[in-house]
Amino acid sequence: MNTMSDLGNALQDDPLLRCTFCRKSFNCNQQIINAKGQTFHSHCFVCAQCFQPFDDGVYYEFENRKYCENDFQLLFAPFCRGCKLFIKGRVIKAINFNWHPECFRCHSCNVLLDTGFVKNAQRPFCRECNLKEKIKNQNQIKCHKCSTPIENDMIRYKGETYHPYHFNCKLCDQELNCNAREVRGDLYCPKCHDKLDIPICSACHTPIDQERIVYALGKTWHVEHFACAKCEIPFNGSKHFEKRGLAYCEAHYSQLFGNLCFVCNSTITGDVFSFMNKSWCDKHFSCYLCDGMMNQKTKFYDFDSKPVCKHCFDKLPSKIRSAILKASDTKEQSKSIFSWIKDK
Amino acid sequence: MPGKLLKKILEEHKQSEHDSLSIIDQGINSILEIPELLTLKRLTRLTLSHNRLNSIPAQIAELINLEQLNLSNNQIEELPTSISSFQNLKILKLCFNRINSLPRGFGAFPVLEILDLTTNNLSETSLSNNFFELKSLRALYLADNFFEDLPKEINKLENLQILVLRTNELISIPDEISDLKNLKELHIQSNRLCILPPSIVQLDLFNPKSILKLDNNPWVDGIKNAYDISISHLSDFLASENYKKVYDQEINNSSKASLQPKSERYKRLNKK
């Protein structure tokens, strides 16, 4: 028969009779708790979260740790979106949340959604209420951050609408209101925005916040606002023609100002030589017969409304010369009109 | 043999980087007199006005980059068929020559914009078959030739802005002329015209920015009187119902026009 001290020795020596939690042996008069074949000191057999003994010895195990009911639910159990209590038993997972089956109800009419639901702005609805909600929301602007309707002030940011109070000024950190301005993806209060020295578009008189700015006619423009003064189609980087402080596309410039060079058939941008109903750029204003360059001082004849220098005229047979003179002088309308318009 | 001045011109051209060359009034009889000319492949503009060329060698087509060719006031009677092979030629001036007919395939120029055949010996029968395929033409000068009839196909030259038919033998202008929606300049002085097609008022020829020359024709009284007052009177008259009656009458009774005597210029044709 073993004596008490023998038992004490046996308890101390047996490696199996150690506390699973603290790995220490038991003293002979200590209470040993046995749970599923594991032994614990009574002060070691507590909740891993609150270190309190378990009520009625009921514990929940998760990854080899033991928790009291309350902490286990707090840490790991699903939490009902509806009643805010823990869910035991059947869980409905919908719209990124968990629900008691009896709590999963229409957001509007509170009917039990056991036969299906419709998601609308992160909320469940029955079909009828969803329809009503949709109609109600059609004219309502929602904040892209909090998904609630925007009643008063609103700002636009990166293509979405928001309550201004979700944002702060990039520079002064002040909460923004509806006067906030976006510059290259950041939001500023009007005061700080003015300090940024943003160019103003000459067409719409609003700041040019994008990366691309057009510098033309001594002014700055939004790319999409720098357009032909006649057809209003933006140039988008294509060639434009300036006249009296306005810009035109090539087609309308030549239509309005009629200055296509007779020789090269391109729009004249510099000095313009005009004779009869024709125009020439200064590079191409030349005698029709010898292609010799002419200028505003050169004397020339009207040969079927084409200019011919005196030199060439004198080389023509006399019969042709008199025919040219006759053809050009028979009617008032045909009198040679020559003009030379210096550019600017 | 090239003269001193010509040598100098060629020498200067070689030294410069210009892509244009003018040899004017140097008494050249043939392009073949200047063999080096045809080797200047980079030329885009060649002017040989006021010389004595009487023919153009087929080899001229070797100057493949030519954009402007000016052969005004020479004695050219015939053109080589190769001339229409210039792919970049925009301006061709052949005025004051003796061309009797255009070579076969002359209408093949893909980008020709200005064609000047003033003062030659051409008529509607001497145009090439494909002449009216010159769709890119914006100016056509046929003054001082021997056209009695302007072919209806003129309406195929849809980009034409300038049409000059001064001093020909024209008896009528075809109704199709009103298809030339871009026409802004029309010279038909010194012909044998009595009437104009009423549809001509659709063209933009009757405003001060346009040129319309009608003088020296045996016009019916209505046209003559209206034209004497002003261009806008003429336009109103041509658009009137009254003129339509006059026009129909004249069309049915075209004897008057054919009675108009031909000009004495035919002597020029017979001279050769």
Side-chain angles (χ1 to χ4, degrees):
Chain A
M1 235 184 104
N2 289 328
T3 57
M4 275 301 281
S5 67
D6 287 341
L7 184 63
N9 288 340
L11 279 172
Q12 268 179 350
D13 296 340
D14 188 350
L16 292 172
L17 271 176
R18 284 172 189 272
C19 172
T20 310
F21 183 73
C22 68
R23 308 309 302 167
K24 284 180 183 154
S25 56
F26 299 95
N27 293 330
C28 28
N29 53 351
Q30 255 179 337
Q31 196 188 347
I32 299 172
I33 295 171
N34 194 325
K36 279 204 239 158
Q38 293 176 324
T39 47
F40 296 90
H41 295 113
S42 60
H43 61 267
C44 287
F45 190 62
V46 290
C47 170
Q49 182 72 12
C50 62
F51 305 113
Q52 297 301 312
F54 303 111
D55 285 347
D56 305 326
V58 177
Y59 65 89
Y60 294 77
E61 204 170 63
F62 188 82
E63 288 177 342
N64 281 330
R65 287 165 192 267
K66 295 174 176 57
Y67 298 90
C68 66
E69 180 174 4
N70 189 46
D71 284 327
F72 180 77
Q73 286 175 338
L74 209 63
L75 288 168
F76 309 111
F79 174 78
C80 176
R81 174 74 169 162
C83 64
K84 320 282 192 229
L85 295 174
F86 304 115
I87 307 170
K88 281 190 237 169
R90 206 159 83 88
V91 178
I92 289 182
K93 285 184 178 284
I95 324 174
N96 294 331
F97 292 106
N98 301 303
W99 316 72
H100 288 113
E102 65 275 17
C103 292
F104 191 56
R105 289 167 185 275
C106 171
H107 188 80
S108 174
C109 67
N110 219 26
V111 73
L112 205 59
L113 293 170
D114 46 4
T115 55
F117 71 101
V118 187
K119 180 175 138 182
N120 184 333
Q122 303 299 318
R123 297 166 303 176
F125 283 91
C126 67
R127 290 186 199 287
E128 295 82 54
C129 290
N130 180 57
L131 217 65
K132 285 184 213 157
E133 185 75 5
K134 253 189 176 171
I135 294 162
K136 198 178 100 190
N137 284 355
Q138 251 162 12
N139 300 320
Q140 206 170 41
I141 301 161
K142 285 228 185 89
C143 173
H144 194 66
K145 189 173 176 95
C146 64
S147 295
T148 59
I150 300 173
E151 306 288 350
N152 300 314
D153 288 353
M154 172 192 92
I155 56 166
R156 284 182 185 282
Y157 178 55
K158 293 186 175 172
E160 302 286 357
T161 50
Y162 293 92
H163 290 115
Y165 51 72
H166 293 305
F167 299 94
N168 295 67
C169 172
K170 164 110 186 196
L171 277 187
C172 67
D173 210 34
Q174 205 175 28
E175 187 179 287
L176 294 175
N177 59 26
C178 60
N179 295 323
R181 298 235 169 93
E182 184 183 343
V183 179
R184 291 177 206 102
D186 293 315
L187 288 166
Y188 297 87
C189 67
K191 241 185 185 172
C192 292
H193 182 265
D194 289 346
K195 282 186 218 154
L196 293 174
D197 201 18
I198 308 275
I200 303 292
C201 173
S202 283
C204 67
H205 305 292
T206 61
I208 306 171
D209 296 338
Q210 297 102 323
E211 305 259 327
R212 289 179 69 196
I213 300 171
V214 177
Y215 296 93
L217 298 163
K219 297 168 185 163
T220 49
W221 311 77
H222 283 116
V223 175
E224 65 273 24
H225 289 158
F226 185 54
C228 170
K230 177 80 182 166
C231 65
E232 297 182 348
I233 295 170
F235 300 114
N236 269 325
S238 66
K239 203 173 173 188
H240 72 273
F241 295 86
E242 300 180 359
K243 182 100 177 176
R244 293 187 206 108
L246 295 173
Y248 299 89
C249 64
E250 174 154 13
H252 283 114
Y253 182 85
S254 55
Q255 186 200 320
L256 290 167
F257 307 108
N259 289 331
L260 280 183
C261 171
F262 177 65
V263 173
C264 65
N265 207 26
S266 318
T267 303
I268 304 169
T269 48
D271 295 4
V272 181
F273 290 89
S274 298
F275 166 60
M276 301 301 287
N277 62 340
K278 299 184 184 66
S279 302
W280 286 262
C281 50
D282 57 353
K283 202 171 78 187
H284 287 131
F285 186 57
S286 52
C287 166
Y288 187 79
L289 289 183
C290 69
D291 295 318
M293 293 304 292
M294 306 205 293
N295 59 38
Q296 67 275 22
K297 287 174 189 154
T298 317
K299 287 214 166 92
F300 59 87
Y301 290 83
D302 170 2
F303 163 49
D304 291 333
S305 305
K306 300 166 284 190
V308 168
C309 71
K310 190 170 186 314
H311 214 61
C312 282
F313 185 78
D314 290 341
K315 288 195 177 108
L316 297 174
S318 62
K319 262 192 179 172
I320 290 168
R321 287 209 304 264
S322 56
I324 288 175
L325 290 176
K326 195 178 154 210
S328 63
D329 265 335
T330 41
K331 187 84 185 169
E332 183 79 17
Q333 185 209 10
S334 67
K335 277 212 176 126
S336 326
I337 310 147
F338 173 67
S339 72
W340 175 59
I341 303 155
K342 192 109 178 72
D343 189 31
K344 276 155 199 168
Chain B
M1 284 302 289
K4 251 188 180 175
L5 190 55
L6 177 55
K7 269 186 182 166
K8 198 181 152 202
I9 294 169
L10 288 169
E11 203 52 48
E12 275 176 10
H13 175 79
K14 268 182 207 161
Q15 279 164 14
S16 74
E17 289 294 305
H18 285 144
D19 52 7
S20 65
L21 175 62
S22 293
I23 305 174
I24 295 157
D25 200 10
Q26 296 301 308
I28 304 163
N29 293 302
S30 166
I31 287 176
L32 297 175
E33 283 177 15
I34 323 162
E36 57 261 68
L37 186 62
L38 295 171
T39 67
L40 303 170
K41 306 280 186 219
R42 67 163 190 267
L43 279 188
T44 61
R45 205 187 78 193
L46 178 61
T47 306
L48 297 169
S49 307
H50 308 300
N51 283 293
R52 283 189 222 129
L53 305 174
N54 50 37
S55 68
I56 299 298
Q59 296 96 301
I60 194 156
E62 291 170 17
L63 300 173
I64 52 167
N65 290 311
L66 275 191
E67 291 175 12
Q68 299 183 31
L69 178 57
N70 187 347
L71 298 167
S72 300
N73 198 19
N74 279 280
Q75 294 158 17
I76 301 164
E77 290 181 12
E78 228 179 315
L79 296 168
T81 47
S82 69
I83 197 160
S84 55
S85 67
F86 285 117
Q87 291 300 298
N88 302 316
L89 199 67
K90 289 184 179 156
I91 301 179
L92 178 57
K93 294 175 188 170
L94 291 161
C95 43
F96 308 116
N97 278 289
R98 296 169 185 175
I99 300 167
N100 296 308
S101 68
L102 296 179
R104 203 159 44 85
F106 188 82
F109 294 102
V111 294
L112 195 64
E113 295 180 7
I114 301 175
L115 174 59
D116 201 320
L117 290 161
T118 302
T119 311
N120 277 286
N121 298 332
L122 294 168
S123 70
E124 58 275 20
T125 56
S126 48
L127 298 177
S128 64
N129 282 341
N130 65 348
F131 184 82
F132 293 101
E133 299 301 321
L134 292 166
K135 306 268 189 224
S136 51
L137 271 193
R138 53 186 167 89
L140 176 58
Y141 294 94
L142 293 170
D144 201 8
N145 277 286
F146 296 91
F147 286 84
E148 286 192 27
D149 176 44
L150 180 64
K152 289 178 167 51
E153 291 83 2
I154 189 75
N155 64 357
K156 290 163 82 179
L157 304 179
E158 53 203 22
N159 290 307
L160 211 59
Q161 297 168 18
I162 299 170
L163 177 59
V164 178
L165 291 158
R166 170 185 58 80
T167 319
N168 274 278
E169 304 292 332
L170 290 177
I171 296 163
S172 70
I173 297 288
D175 199 31
E176 284 76 6
I177 198 163
S178 55
D179 294 336
L180 300 176
K181 296 299 177 207
N182 296 309
L183 202 65
K184 291 188 173 62
E185 187 176 330
L186 178 64
H187 302 229
I188 45 174
Q189 326 88 301
S190 304
N191 278 285
R192 292 150 65 197
L193 296 165
C194 303
I195 46 169
L196 285 167
S199 61
I200 201 167
V201 293
Q202 296 163 18
L203 296 178
D204 189 20
L205 288 168
F206 300 87
N207 77 56
K209 277 187 174 175
S210 303
I211 293 178
L212 177 60
K213 295 195 177 187
L214 303 174
D215 303 272
N216 201 16
N217 276 294
W219 297 117
V220 293
D221 288 345
I223 292 183
K224 188 182 181 304
N225 296 340
Y227 183 50
D228 282 346
I229 301 169
S230 75
I231 287 284
S232 58
H233 272 81
L234 177 65
S235 145
D236 291 346
F237 176 66
L238 293 175
S240 68
E241 282 301 315
N242 196 9
Y243 178 64
K244 281 204 180 80
K245 281 179 207 155
V246 174
Y247 179 74
D248 291 341
Q249 207 180 338
E250 286 291 324
I251 285 286
N252 294 329
N253 171 24
S254 56
S255 54
K256 191 190 167 195
S258 51
L259 278 175
Q260 290 294 322
K262 288 189 179 182
S263 70
E264 291 188 1
R265 295 182 310 126
Y266 271 94
K267 287 175 190 163
R268 189 168 100 207
L269 273 182
N270 299 330
K271 220 165 38 181
K272 57 171 180 93

